[in-house]
């Protein structure tokens, strides 16, 4: 068990520590999600406040979500961390929200099982909670997503290395479902068979930057505005329809109306009829929002 009373640097190898600044105080920040694969620390340094995230290889391997990200998008977080300069730079270029400046990042050291890490500036604001969402923050989210969805290309995969062609999407989606379901007992065979068949009908022509783990708590509110995005770990090139399916769980009916009115000022809305059910199943199997009742999940309201 990890001893969080230790200094966060003590979990890193000497080589990993070599380029990191000295700090005066370290406070661990708690995650609202039990299956969080990072331990996050707020560091007080002589040059300001910094955030250090440590990503343990074992935690990732035990995470249903990150198993799904590896199966579907070939995104392995402890390795991806060494490419975070590309990820942070790309999102900063295309999002209207503030993105923390990246100071250092590195992949896991397998010898000695040292974690991957990312160090970035600590931005002003508080993590957004569901009950604190305002109409203004919904509009800000719509502008942010539309700005990213306007970036399109024909290949998909990790944001730094989108190596897959469009024709591979439906087969890899189906195979990822089957692999995740084989390790769980939440989905009846008849439903799974139907969803894997429908997965083969999901044939997006273009892909955009999306977050399959999109949640309000990944954003900061500051002075009444959705000010910053601070969790960029799961960005991939994927179908915008998958992110819209996730949005149906995050937004109320009134928030959805506000969101779509704002979003359509920049991008057209996608069509979800064919893809909603298989994408819902994939997100359920990835345990994106922690729901364990598949019938409740699959029959949640839909707005589009």
């Amino acid at each position: 068990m990890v001893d969080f009373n230790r200094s966060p640097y003590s979990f890193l190898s000497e080589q990993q520590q070599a380029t990191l600044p000295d700090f005066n105080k370290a406070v661990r920040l708690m995650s609202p999600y039990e299956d969080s694969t990072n331990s996050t620390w707020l560091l007080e340094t002589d040059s300001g406040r910094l955030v250090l995230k440590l990503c343990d290889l074992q935690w990732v391997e035990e995470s249903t979500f990150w198993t799904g990200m590896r199966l579907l998008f070939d995104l392995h977080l402890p390795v991806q961390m060494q490419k975070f300069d590309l990820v942070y730079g790309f999102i900063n270029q295309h999002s209207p929200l503030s993105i923390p400046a990246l100071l250092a990042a590195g992949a896991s050291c397998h010898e000695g099982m040292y974690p991957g890490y990312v160090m970035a500036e600590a931005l002003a604001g508080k993590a957004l909670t569901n009950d604190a969402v305002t109409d203004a923050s919904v509009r800000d989210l719509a502008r942010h997503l539309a700005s990213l969805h306007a970036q399109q290309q024909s290949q998909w995969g990790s944001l730094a290395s989108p190596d897959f062609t469009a024709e591979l999407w439906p087969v890899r989606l189906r195979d990822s479902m089957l692999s995740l379901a084989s390790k769980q007992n939440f989905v009846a065979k008849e439903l799974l068979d139907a969803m894997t068949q429908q997965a083969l009908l999901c044939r997006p022509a273009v892909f955009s930057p999306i977050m399959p783990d999109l949640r309000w708590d990944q954003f900061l509110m500051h002075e009444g505005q959705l000010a910053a995005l601070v969790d960029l770990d799961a960005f991939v090139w994927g179908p915008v329809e998958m992110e819209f399916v996730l949005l149906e769980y995050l937004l109320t009916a009134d928030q959805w109306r506000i969101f779509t009115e704002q979003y359509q000022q920049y991008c057209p809305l996608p069509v979800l009829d064919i893809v909603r059910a298989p994408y819902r199943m994939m997100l359920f199997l990835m345990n994106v929002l922690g729901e364990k009742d598949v019938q409740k999940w699959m029959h949640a309201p839909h707005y589009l």
Side-chain angles (χ1 to χ4, degrees):
M1 181 176 294
V2 177
D3 179 7
F4 291 111
N5 292 317
R6 291 166 49 190
S7 161
Y9 282 11
S10 68
F11 299 108
L12 298 169
S13 69
E14 291 184 5
Q15 182 178 6
Q16 289 175 321
Q17 295 180 47
T19 59
L20 301 182
D22 294 333
F23 62 88
N24 306 312
K25 182 181 179 181
V27 177
R28 186 178 177 232
L29 305 177
M30 302 303 295
S31 169
Y33 288 84
E34 294 179 0
D35 63 347
S36 176
T37 48
N38 293 315
S39 61
T40 305
W41 305 76
L42 179 64
L43 306 183
E44 301 284 352
T45 75
D46 290 341
S47 56
R49 299 193 311 161
L50 304 175
V51 173
L52 174 67
K53 293 203 300 187
L54 306 178
C55 175
D56 190 285
L57 181 61
Q58 182 179 348
W59 294 348
V60 173
E61 290 177 344
E62 294 174 354
S63 164
T64 302
F65 173 76
W66 285 109
T67 298
M69 291 297 289
R70 177 176 52 80
L71 289 169
L72 183 55
F73 294 101
D74 196 29
L75 178 61
H76 192 42
L77 180 59
V79 176
Q80 175 75 358
M81 282 182 154
Q82 65 186 335
K83 301 178 182 179
F84 268 6
D85 57 335
L86 300 175
V87 174
Y88 277 62
F90 183 91
I91 303 304
N92 185 55
Q93 179 182 354
H94 295 292
S95 173
L97 300 177
S98 294
I99 305 298
L102 184 68
L103 278 72
S108 290
C109 298
H110 294 269
E111 185 176 344
M113 296 298 288
Y114 293 107
Y117 67 95
V118 55
M119 176 175 281
E121 67 172 327
L123 296 178
K126 293 184 178 180
L128 186 56
T129 57
N130 291 347
D131 58 358
V133 174
T134 64
D135 292 353
S137 57
V138 172
R139 294 187 185 95
D140 291 336
L141 177 66
R143 285 189 287 268
H144 161 71
L145 293 182
S147 297
L148 294 178
H149 293 172
Q151 315 308 312
Q152 298 181 343
Q153 64 176 31
S154 60
Q155 293 193 219
W156 59 278
S158 71
L159 199 68
S161 304
D163 298 327
F164 298 111
T165 57
E167 59 265 27
L168 294 176
W169 174 258
V171 174
R172 195 167 176 104
L173 176 64
R174 179 200 62 189
D175 293 348
S176 299
M177 279 189 194
L178 289 171
S179 182
L180 286 174
S182 69
K183 301 176 177 65
Q184 305 175 20
N185 59 357
F186 299 117
V187 182
K189 182 180 185 302
E190 295 79 7
L191 177 58
L192 181 63
D193 288 345
M195 292 300 98
T196 53
Q197 288 302 309
Q198 289 188 39
L200 297 178
L201 303 178
C202 300
R203 299 180 177 274
V206 295
F207 302 91
S208 298
I210 65 169
M211 289 174 62
D213 64 343
L214 180 67
R215 299 189 312 263
W216 284 117
D217 66 290
Q218 295 162 325
F219 299 88
L220 298 182
M221 286 286 287
H222 183 59
E223 297 181 348
Q225 298 293 319
L226 193 67
L229 172 65
V230 293
D231 186 344
L232 285 68
D233 292 358
F235 262 110
V236 290
W237 288 95
V240 299
E241 292 84 355
M242 178 172 276
E243 197 161 50
F244 265 81
V245 167
L246 185 53
L247 281 168
E248 289 187 322
Y249 294 99
L250 298 182
L251 302 178
T252 66
D254 287 341
Q255 291 169 350
W256 184 269
R257 176 184 52 79
I258 294 167
F259 177 91
T260 52
E261 286 177 356
Q262 186 71 43
Y263 184 91
Q264 288 180 96
Q265 296 183 27
Y266 307 94
C267 292
L269 295 174
V271 177
L272 301 185
D273 291 346
I274 295 176
V275 302
R276 177 182 285 109
Y279 287 170
R280 280 188 170 189
M281 177 57 67
M282 184 65 199
L283 293 169
F284 174 82
L285 291 169
M286 291 172 67
N287 195 37
V288 169
L289 297 178
E291 178 60 60
K292 302 300 183 184
D293 185 334
V294 67
Q295 293 299 326
K296 179 180 178 181
W297 178 266
M298 296 300 292
H299 292 94
H302 56 82
Y303 305 122
L304 193 59

